[in-house]
Amino acid sequence: MSVAPARVSVIGAGLTGCLLACRLADAGHEVVLYDRRPDPRRIGVDEGRSINLAMSTRGLDALARIGLEARVRAGGVPMHGRRMHAVDGSLTFQPYGIRPEHHLLSVSRDALNALLLGAVDERPRIRTEFGRKLEDLDLDTGRLHFADGPEQDDTEQADGPSRGGGPVVGADGAWSAVRARLQRTRGFDLEQDHLEHGYKELTIPAGPGGAHRLEPHALHIWPRGSHMLIALPNPDGSFTCTLFWPLAGDVPFESLSTAAAVERVFATEFPDVLPLVPDLAGEFLRNPVGSLVTIRCTPWHHGSVLLLGDAAHAVVPFYGQGANAAMEDCTILLDVLAESSDWPAAFAEFERRRKPDADALADLALDNYVEMRAHVASRRFLAERRLERFLHRRFPDRFVPLYTMVTFTRIPYAEAVRRARRQDTLLRRLVSWGGIGLLAGAAGALAGVVRRIGGRR
Ligand code: FAD
């Protein structure tokens, strides 16, 4: 069983829209992919909005399904753990996992989008229309209204299925126009939480001969309690840094508005970064402050219209999962379409399966912000992570750290959270009893406890 071939309109040619268009075309559907922007491959990158993604299993698995995984891997930089920078310059390292394949891949979002657009171009069943900003749509007929006029109609579809009622997927990001239309339907719930911190990008340029000026195979973090700086490596030797800083409070983002103020903050908070960013103040003052939002909404579908990716469930970036989850959406949606006989039923089933995971991820991402900026440097946190790795090594199938489940498996997010809660109870008890010292002598006794936990998962 599978849904009948259709002409699907996909709004948004970002990561989700491009990947979905490719998957739908490969499944035999005709796709029209619209984006409000001109072709990003022709206009280049907005300064200060380049964004590096930490890609991991869910996203890479989804990309493998359209044959892109190897190319994404070839263009990314593996990061094997977190390198923490204390104010006094001392460094500590936390590996992401216990196996070499437990690493993240630092990938430029624009480069990945360009690669996906290339895959779109290779598929004759997809037609792409850039510069088409969706303003509204008719939920009953699926008719689209763009800023530059209504959808061109039947003349251009002479050889495709007819327009009326064709499925529409809103993959148009956190500020989705498709979602805005659904919002006007009875019973639509929307929760939109802005983080009290904004972000700004900076660049650490490559050193002599294109060498990285920090250790390349790590995600660097300068955790400072109420704020933090991170840096992700690029293949050209540079690092993309992101400063997360409070929007309000004693020293709000907007107060960092002069070269002196910026340099003062970096000299006190991130002294080891100061010499690495030659044009620190200039770049800081030029680049925009980005905002971060969590979107929870329901229903994600109305008849033959569906929200996907950030349009359905934008999350803050602190678990490095927004794009990974958006791409995994495409995998799950295609599975559901293959098992369904009609599009509206498939869209309803997709939300039933996926919504609990999107909600779990939203919470995880918010919690991880506190962890990254405040806890990663604490002794207790480090002891717990060491203990987790010990248990995972000793009982690889029964005790799997939450981070490993989220990042290096496709265990549904909500299930990973439930399983981690049970593991946490054990972990906290062990840490308060003496942690690793106790463990060294009591691994045998622990086996029974862990086996019982594993048996309940
Ligand atoms: P988008 O990327 O927002 O794409 C939406 C597309 O729709 C765009 O091309 C836009 O032009 C188009 N569009 C919008 N409105 C309209 C309209 N009205 N009509 C037509 N087209 C329209 N995720 C990770 O997995 N790992 C990370 O490490 C990570 N780091 C991040 C760091 C930062 C600072 C931020 C902000 C995000 C990060 N993310 C990360 C999240 C990731 O960027 C998003 O989850 C991902 O881009 C979502 O893809 P999308 O295609 O759903 O939406």
Side-chain angles (χ1 to χ4, degrees):
M1 187 170 46
S2 177
V3 290
R7 176 183 182 274
V8 186
S9 300
V10 176
I11 315 300
L15 307 180
T16 311
C18 290
L19 177 57
L20 179 70
C22 292
R23 291 295 314 271
L24 289 173
D26 292 349
H29 305 288
E30 299 291 323
V31 182
V32 188
L33 178 61
Y34 299 95
D35 203 285
R36 69 174 173 196
R37 299 175 296 175
D39 186 336
R41 292 167 295 183
R42 304 226 160 82
I43 53 170
V45 181
D46 270 356
E47 203 187 358
R49 288 207 188 277
S50 54
I51 295 188
N52 271 52
L53 303 173
M55 290 302 299
S56 50
T57 297
R58 294 168 202 267
L60 291 167
D61 173 85
L63 290 163
R65 291 164 197 260
I66 57 161
L68 281 191
E69 184 189 2
R71 287 179 68 189
V72 173
R73 283 192 184 278
V77 184
M79 301 182 291
H80 295 282
R82 296 164 165 167
R83 174 65 72 194
M84 259 80 59
H85 298 243
V87 184
D88 66 7
S90 58
L91 300 175
T92 44
F93 184 75
Q94 289 164 23
Y96 281 130
I98 59 164
R99 289 201 286 271
E101 66 269 26
H102 287 168
H103 63 263
L104 307 176
L105 205 61
S106 172
V107 173
S108 141
R109 185 169 74 173
D110 293 313
L112 181 57
N113 208 162
L115 205 58
L116 280 160
L117 284 166
V120 162
D121 289 346
E122 286 163 12
R123 287 166 168 81
R125 286 205 181 95
I126 310 175
R127 192 180 77 227
T128 310
E129 293 197 15
F130 289 109
R132 302 278 275 155
K133 180 175 182 222
L134 184 87
E135 294 225 303
D136 202 358
L137 73 154
D138 185 319
L139 293 175
D140 297 322
T141 63
R143 198 173 169 79
L144 309 171
H145 300 273
F146 292 96
D148 58 350
E151 181 184 25
Q152 290 151 17
D153 221 328
D154 294 317
T155 43
E156 59 182 20
Q157 293 155 28
D159 50 358
S162 76
R163 172 73 214 119
V168 177
V169 179
D172 49 346
W175 308 112
S176 166
V178 179
R179 192 181 66 234
R181 175 64 192 90
L182 292 184
Q183 228 176 305
R184 306 205 306 267
T185 58
R186 196 190 302 267
F188 187 85
D189 281 332
L190 174 69
E191 234 180 274
Q192 188 174 294
D193 297 317
H194 286 270
L195 199 71
E196 62 281 14
H197 290 63
Y199 73 94
K200 190 176 280 244
E201 282 195 357
L202 295 166
T203 315
I204 296 178
H212 287 94
R213 301 177 79 190
L214 295 169
E215 175 188 350
H217 295 298
L219 192 156
H220 294 262
I221 307 181
W222 290 258
R224 298 293 182 263
S226 67
H227 50 275
M228 72 170 176
L229 181 73
I230 64 169
L232 276 76
N234 296 308
D236 67 359
S238 65
F239 282 83
T240 303
C241 306
T242 312
L243 174 68
F244 296 95
W245 192 270
L247 292 165
D250 293 345
V251 188
F253 233 133
E254 64 177 16
S255 71
L256 306 180
S257 57
T258 62
V262 173
E263 275 157 14
R264 201 167 41 245
V265 158
F266 273 74
T268 16
E269 300 291 319
F270 316 112
D272 52 342
V273 179
L274 207 49
L276 302 178
V277 189
D279 180 28
L280 173 69
E283 200 185 357
F284 193 98
L285 298 176
R286 265 192 320 276
N287 287 350
V289 176
S291 61
L292 297 165
V293 69
T294 302
I295 304 275
R296 291 181 172 92
C297 66
T298 191
W300 290 350
H301 62 95
H302 183 107
S304 294
V305 177
L306 177 73
L307 300 174
L308 205 69
D310 272 18
H313 50 72
V315 296
V316 292
F318 306 109
Y319 226 109
Q321 283 295 311
N324 283 286
M327 292 190 188
E328 191 181 48
D329 279 0
C330 300
T331 307
I332 294 169
L333 178 60
L334 264 289
D335 287 349
V336 173
L337 290 172
E339 297 159 13
S340 310
S341 54
D342 75 274
W343 289 82
F347 287 174
E349 173 60 15
F350 169 74
E351 178 173 356
R352 194 191 65 75
R353 280 194 208 173
R354 191 60 168 159
K355 174 89 168 109
D357 294 321
D359 289 341
L361 175 60
D363 293 337
L364 281 173
L366 286 164
D367 291 348
N368 218 44
Y369 186 34
V370 182
E371 179 170 311
M372 279 176 88
R373 68 185 150 93
H375 298 162
V376 281
S378 83
R379 287 191 57 209
R380 187 183 178 91
F381 177 87
L382 293 173
E384 283 179 6
R385 295 296 80 77
R386 269 201 300 274
L387 197 48
E388 276 186 347
R389 284 197 297 278
F390 174 90
L391 290 169
H392 185 35
R393 240 185 234 113
R394 183 78 177 73
F395 314 104
D397 298 326
R398 295 183 179 279
F399 191 102
V400 187
L402 176 61
Y403 190 83
T404 303
M405 287 191 276
V406 168
T407 310
F408 304 122
T409 78
R410 286 204 49 225
I411 296 171
Y413 293 112
E415 190 187 323
V417 169
R418 280 194 295 275
R419 206 173 142 180
R421 274 199 200 113
R422 295 199 292 269
Q423 296 179 166
D424 263 2
T425 312
L426 168 72
L427 203 63
R428 286 183 202 292
R429 229 173 267 159
L430 289 172
V431 170
S432 51
W433 287 345
I436 293 150
L438 169 101
L439 257 176
L446 276 170
V449 182
V450 174
R451 239 173 254 126
R452 281 207 301 281
I453 287 193
R456 275 190 273 135
R457 71 172 185 253

